Every structure is written in structure tokens, then in C-alpha cells.
Amino acid sequence: SISGLIRTALMNMDREAKEYYEVIIQAKDMGGQLGGLAGTTIVNITLSDVNDNPPRFPQKHYQMSVLESAPVSSTVGRVVAKDLDEGINAEMKYSLVDGDGLDVFDINTDPNYQVGIITVRKPLSFESKKSYTLKVEGANPHLEMRFLNLGPFRDTTTVHITVEDVDEPPVFEPSFYFVEVPEDVEIGTTIQTISAKDPDVTNNSIRYSIDRSSDPGRFFYVDITSGALMTARPLDREDVSWHNITVLAMELNNPSQVGSVSVTVKVLDVNDNAPEFARFYEAFVCENAKAGQLIQTVSAIDRDDPQEGQHFYYSLAPEAANNPNFTLRDNQDNTAWILTRRSGFRQHEQNTFYVPILISDNGRPVLSSTGTLTVHVCSCDDDGMVMSCNAEAYVLPVSLSRGALIAILACIFVLLVLVLLILSMRRQRKQPYIIDEEENIHENIVRYDDEGGGEEDTEAFDIAAMWNPREAQLVVKNRQDMLPEIESLSRYVSQACVMDNNVHNYVLAKLYEADMDLWAPPFDSLQTYMFEGNGSVAESLSSLQSVTTDSDQSYDYLTDWGPRFKKLAEMYGATDSSGALW
């Protein structure tokens, strides 16, 4: 009452029972005697937490279930232990302390919600074990020694986990196959038996097949019921030495359940390829070569790969064993030397020799082949440098053929340009045939099946040809938009008619030219005349030099010309007062 110090009045206060207190303090003057003045204040008191409450599981038994197909690390369930404390005093650590599933399951603590999460540690199998029992402990990691007498600060619970059955795909045993097979194995030989079974209680029948994407060449076949893996095509180590195929197993009653296994097939080598020259060999021998001179070193290759390594043996073929010109020396290092046996080679006597060489390997069985060395006789200088030989005659043109061809084509192109230029210049120098203006009277007789285009139609013919009759024979402008019908004028002209000899010959020549050219298209024909013809049945059709006018001219005579002029007669014939044509 004198110092104003606030003290606890009770012992063993419990924050979990009451955490907040409100105290009203009164202060009086005059020593607290009557007549003194007083003042009050409110003091709020909060109890801080201590770890004086051990954790407790709300239930002593948990029942959980999990599918046997649950992957590793998947969650099975959660357990939680209650602690009335708060903060660090309420932190929890969970662990598995007993049970038959300690190696199958695991438990982790969620730091945010202080719950224990049980997860799958290993793959489950309903067929192997259907249930597990776990003993889970929850404990406070932070303890206060003064409150240990209130403990223990840990608690346990029992978790029973049931594994549920799932229809699983077939399982192969073993999970991987490695097979070695020789490359000369016969087709249909069983190289391995693949085995799979249904892990479910029902134990359904299994059907086997090969994933064709893993065996695009279809070298293997698997029996659908027994799983026997067999060869379906000849194997060749030199082409494909390893095969990685996938065999599938499917449940007969549930085709959606499919298992797979990898099968690696190694093709073992068999001596089935004879050695042969590494390349085409062609040698040259000088005419002044001496006996015993080295002219070529040969080597061989073999596609086989024997375990003891490759070794080749060289000798002259039996038909050339007594070759008087060349001999062979095996170097015992998979190479051989070809040497001259004599001197005095002459190009004019024989310019090419063929030396057959027998090459054998060390395989079982021994295989051999015959290669041919081509030897050309050449003339050489004193230092042994080749000067000329028959092979040169064949090699030299090949090396120069491209350049020579380009040069020839270039010359031909230049000559063609010059010829075209000369012809063009000569044509331009020709003087045009000039006719007096007063005598320039021409007639064009052209028949079309359709109406012309008027003044804007500039495609019918070249007007320049009318001013130069000679050029008309060379330049004829064809219309591409119509195919007119051209009829010979000789049908309408009597053979007894008297006409100018030059015009007659010109018309006959053009007629003969048109009749003989069977491939000429029926385009427009332009006939140019220097003057009017005489002797026509219809006389002159031209209105030139006519002194009459359209109103004075009578066209009644057109009706007497026959049916060919009927159209003109209807167009120009006289009409009576009623408007009928006469």
C-alpha cells in the first residue's frame, strides 16, 4: 500500500485457465484519512506461457487405408497431438517408435500446423501384406526442467493401416534381360524365354507381344502364350550388332493392364565375310625398272571382328603362282609388297599387266578372296619419274574435258551472236520499194467470220505491208484472237478470164504455198495487188474513181449474181413504197 508494487496473491496461476487480469488501483492523499482526495487507474496483467502442459493425442487408435499402387512419398494420413501451451512450448515432433511397418512407412512433422504426416516409404503389395500397425509418438522438443514433474511431455497412439487391392499390370521376373546370340543363328531359333505373372490374387492369364517401335526391322518374334523370344529374320552383326527391344505382357481379361520389360540382344561375330582390298589398287612400272623393285604395297580389310584380332595372309593366286613378271612378299603385318621379278619391260610389247592376289583371313572357317592389281608400263626418266604411259592418255582428257567444253561452247556462242548481228545489219541496209503516190492503189480482200474492231483494231494486219508489196511476203501479222476462213479467189474467177500474167502467177504461187503447208494454222491471209484485176464476173467492186454517189448508184444487178451475193443484194437492193426489198 505504500510502494505501489503489485504482487501475485495466489500461487500456481494457470494461463490456460485465465490469461488476462484487470486490476483497479486507488491512490489517496492525507494518508488515506477522511476528507482526503483519491484517484484510480486500471492495470491490465497478462500471464505469459510456460511449458507446463504435456502433449496428448485426442484418440488412442487411428484407422487408415492406402492403395497398393500408391507411389513412394505419397501421403497415407495425418495424426495430431494436442498441447494447451502456445508458441515454442507447443511445438511437436512425431516419430514411429514401434510396429511392423517401420521400413514401409515414414512420418514427418508439419511445422505450420504441428501435425504428423504418414507417407509411403517403399512400394506396397496387397498380395504380400494386407495391413500394417504403427505406434506413433508425439513429444515436445523444448522442455523446462522445473515442470518435469508434470510430465512425461510425450504421448503415443496406434495407427492401423490397411492396404487395398488394385488390379496391377503383369510383372516380369527378372526386370531386365540380356541375351547373346551368334549372327548365323537360324530363323525361328528360341534365344530367350520371357516370363511375367499377374501379381493380383486372380492371377489372370498373360499374353506376350513385342513393341514394334523398338524393333522396326522385325528381327524378332515372341510366342504369344509361352513368351519364347525367337528370331524372325537373319541377323548380321556387320549391319546391326545390338538390338534393344521391349516385350509387352498383357492381362487376358483386362487388356488395359500392360507390363513391359527391356531385352538387350548382342549379336556375336561369326567369320562370314572374306577379306578384300581396302581400295582399288593401280600401280606403274617403269620400262627401266630393275628386278626386285617395289612397285606397290597392298592392304586388306575384313568386316568381321574376331576376338583374337584380324590377321591376313597374302599370296599370288594359283593361276599366277609362276608369274614371270611380278612376285609378292607377305610382310606379316596385314600388308604385302608387290615386286618386279625381271627387268626390261617394254610399253610397245605390253602396256598393262593384271596381277591376281589371294587374300585369306585367320577365322574359322578360313575365308579368302582374290583381288586384282593393275600394273601399267610407263616410260620414265633416269630418276624414275613417269613421263608418259597409256594411263596418261585416259587421265589427261578427263582432267581437261570440262575446260575444253566450256571453251568450245563459248566460241559457238560468240559465232552465233556475230552471225545474227550481220544478218540484222544486212536487212536494215535494204532499200524499200518506193511507189509513186498516185499509183499507190491497192485492194485488200480479207474475209472474217466476225465483225471487226473498228479503228481501234490494230491487230488485223500490218498497214506497212500495203506500201511495200515485196515485204508483204516476209512480214504477215497474224491475229491470235480469231481464226478466219480463207477461201481461194480462184473459185469465183473463170479460168478463161484474161488477167495480168504477174498477178496470176503471184496468186497461184500463194495458193500452192498454202496447199502444200499442211501444218500452217488458218490465220488471216493478206493479198496485196499493185493494180486492179480485169475480167471479173462482178467487174470492179471498188468505189475508187467512181463519179456517181450513193444516192445515184443502183445495186439491183446484185440479184443477178447468184446466191453468193444474196446478202449484198438484201442490204443494197431497192425497196418499194411498202418497205419490201426488190
Side-chain angles (χ1 to χ4, degrees):
S1 60
I2 297 175
S3 64
L5 181 62
I6 300 176
R7 295 185 176 91
T8 57
L10 300 175
M11 61 179 301
N12 297 327
M13 288 188 293
D14 191 0
R15 184 200 65 82
E16 290 72 27
K18 185 175 179 62
E19 182 177 3
Y20 300 103
Y21 292 89
E22 184 179 277
V23 178
I24 300 175
I25 305 298
Q26 184 183 54
K28 293 182 179 181
D29 58 6
M30 295 181 65
Q33 296 184 9
L34 185 63
L37 299 179
T40 61
T41 184
I42 297 176
V43 179
N44 293 318
I45 301 174
T46 302
L47 298 182
S48 59
D49 184 54
V50 295
N51 192 6
D52 58 348
N53 291 281
R56 293 292 180 264
F57 284 100
Q59 58 189 74
K60 291 300 182 179
H61 181 79
Y62 288 86
Q63 182 69 35
M64 300 180 184
S65 63
V66 60
L67 297 176
E68 63 174 335
S69 60
V72 175
S73 299
S74 60
T75 300
V76 178
R78 291 174 171 83
V79 294
V80 59
K82 300 295 185 178
D83 191 333
L84 298 178
D85 297 324
E86 65 178 9
I88 192 174
N89 298 319
E91 288 186 1
M92 201 69 59
K93 181 179 180 181
Y94 297 93
S95 60
L96 300 177
V97 295
D98 197 6
D100 57 358
L102 297 180
D103 58 341
V104 181
F105 299 95
D106 199 1
I107 189 169
N108 301 306
T109 302
D110 185 349
N112 296 323
Y113 299 98
Q114 301 300 320
V115 297
I117 303 174
I118 300 176
T119 58
V120 178
R121 188 174 182 179
K122 289 183 178 180
L124 304 174
S125 175
F126 174 82
E127 292 72 24
S128 299
K129 191 173 180 60
K130 298 179 176 59
S131 64
Y132 296 88
T133 300
L134 300 175
K135 188 175 183 180
V136 181
E137 180 185 77
N140 288 140
H142 306 285
L143 302 178
E144 294 188 24
M145 303 301 295
R146 55 180 175 159
F147 298 115
L148 290 180
N149 60 329
L150 301 178
F153 285 83
R154 64 185 65 244
D155 195 15
T156 59
T157 187
T158 302
V159 179
H160 183 75
I161 301 176
T162 302
V163 180
E164 297 182 355
D165 187 24
V166 174
D167 191 4
E168 299 175 281
V171 178
F172 289 89
E173 294 181 0
S175 59
F176 176 78
Y177 289 87
F178 176 77
V179 184
E180 291 182 340
V181 57
E183 61 178 325
D184 60 347
V185 64
E186 295 183 357
I187 297 176
T189 302
T190 300
I191 62 175
Q192 182 68 46
T193 299
I194 310 299
S195 177
K197 65 177 182 178
D198 184 7
D200 299 322
V201 178
T202 55
N203 194 17
N204 293 323
S205 299
I206 306 298
R207 294 294 180 264
Y208 299 93
S209 63
I210 294 179
D211 185 359
R212 285 308 172 189
S213 62
S214 64
D215 184 27
R218 297 180 179 269
F219 289 97
F220 302 97
Y221 167 78
V222 64
D223 186 83
I224 190 172
T225 56
S226 65
L229 183 62
M230 298 172 285
T231 56
R233 288 180 54 191
L235 303 179
D236 191 352
R237 187 204 65 84
E238 289 71 33
D239 291 338
V240 183
S241 59
W242 291 85
H243 297 269
N244 294 307
I245 62 177
T246 301
V247 178
L248 306 177
M250 179 183 64
E251 291 185 11
L252 182 61
N253 297 333
N254 188 2
S256 62
Q257 297 298 328
V258 179
S260 63
V261 67
S262 296
V263 180
T264 300
V265 180
K266 180 182 179 181
V267 182
L268 301 179
D269 183 53
V270 174
N271 190 29
D272 57 350
N273 291 277
E276 56 187 11
F277 276 151
R279 60 180 178 85
F280 173 75
Y281 285 104
E282 187 175 27
F284 302 92
V285 59
C286 295
E287 290 181 320
N288 55 1
K290 298 179 181 181
Q293 180 175 336
L294 175 65
I295 63 171
Q296 184 66 52
T297 301
V298 297
S299 62
I301 58 173
D302 193 337
R303 298 182 63 191
D304 294 323
D305 186 18
Q307 295 181 355
E308 60 275 11
Q310 292 181 341
H311 186 75
F312 304 125
Y313 303 94
Y314 299 89
S315 63
L316 293 178
E319 63 271 17
N322 299 321
N323 193 314
N325 302 308
F326 304 96
T327 184
L328 182 144
R329 179 185 298 173
D330 193 340
N331 298 324
Q332 300 299 319
D333 60 353
N334 291 338
T335 63
W337 288 353
I338 309 300
L339 308 172
T340 57
R341 177 169 286 183
R342 66 176 179 88
S343 60
F345 291 93
R346 293 293 179 265
Q347 186 177 2
H348 63 276
E349 294 178 358
Q350 184 174 353
N351 57 6
T352 304
F353 292 91
Y354 299 98
V355 182
I357 301 175
L358 181 66
I359 313 170
S360 304
D361 60 14
N362 60 334
R364 295 181 180 84
V366 176
L367 299 180
S368 62
S369 66
T370 301
T372 302
L373 171 66
T374 303
V375 182
H376 299 282
V377 179
C378 302
S379 59
C380 306
D381 56 13
D382 296 336
D383 297 330
M385 301 299 294
V386 176
M387 297 176 59
S388 65
C389 57
N390 288 347
E392 226 177 288
Y394 294 96
V395 175
L396 188 59
V398 173
S399 61
L400 298 179
S401 60
R402 180 175 297 179
L405 181 61
I406 294 176
I408 293 173
L409 293 176
C411 294
I412 293 175
F413 178 75
V414 172
L415 290 177
L416 289 176
V417 172
L418 291 176
V419 170
L420 293 176
L421 183 61
I422 292 173
L423 292 177
S424 177
M425 294 177 63
R426 286 185 177 180
R427 178 172 295 181
Q428 292 179 0
R429 283 201 297 265
K430 288 183 178 181
Q431 296 296 331
Y433 183 76
I434 302 175
I435 306 176
D436 188 14
E437 293 285 346
E438 297 179 357
E439 298 179 357
N440 187 18
I441 302 175
H442 306 290
E443 286 289 330
N444 273 338
I445 302 178
V446 182
R447 179 173 179 177
Y448 297 93
D449 287 338
D450 56 350
E451 190 174 352
E455 295 180 354
E456 296 181 356
D457 188 359
T458 59
E459 298 296 327
F461 57 85
D462 191 355
I463 194 63
M466 298 181 63
W467 296 91
N468 193 349
R470 296 182 179 178
E471 293 294 323
Q473 301 178 9
L474 299 176
V475 181
V476 178
K477 194 169 185 180
N478 300 328
R479 285 184 64 111
Q480 302 298 328
D481 56 344
M482 60 182 64
L483 302 176
E485 177 185 359
I486 304 175
E487 299 183 3
S488 176
L489 297 177
S490 60
R491 302 181 185 178
Y492 307 106
V493 181
S494 173
Q495 298 298 327
C497 296
V498 179
M499 62 178 62
D500 186 88
N501 189 37
N502 293 335
V503 175
H504 180 69
N505 292 338
Y506 177 75
V507 172
L508 293 180
K510 298 300 289 184
L511 179 61
Y512 177 80
E513 180 182 350
D515 293 339
M516 295 303 294
D517 190 1
L518 301 179
W519 303 102
F523 292 153
D524 297 345
S525 177
L526 175 64
Q527 307 292 344
T528 305
Y529 301 92
M530 294 294 298
F531 48 83
E532 272 191 73
N534 296 323
S536 173
V537 176
E539 296 182 353
S540 176
L541 299 179
S542 175
S543 61
L544 299 176
Q545 300 179 355
S546 177
V547 297
T548 60
T549 62
D550 292 343
S551 60
D552 299 332
Q553 181 129 3
S554 174
Y555 298 96
D556 296 340
Y557 58 87
L558 294 176
T559 57
D560 300 332
W561 287 3
R564 295 182 182 274
F565 296 92
K566 181 179 179 181
K567 188 66 177 181
L568 289 176
E570 293 176 355
M571 294 173 59
Y572 293 94
T575 58
D576 56 6
S577 59
S578 62
L581 288 175
W582 294 93

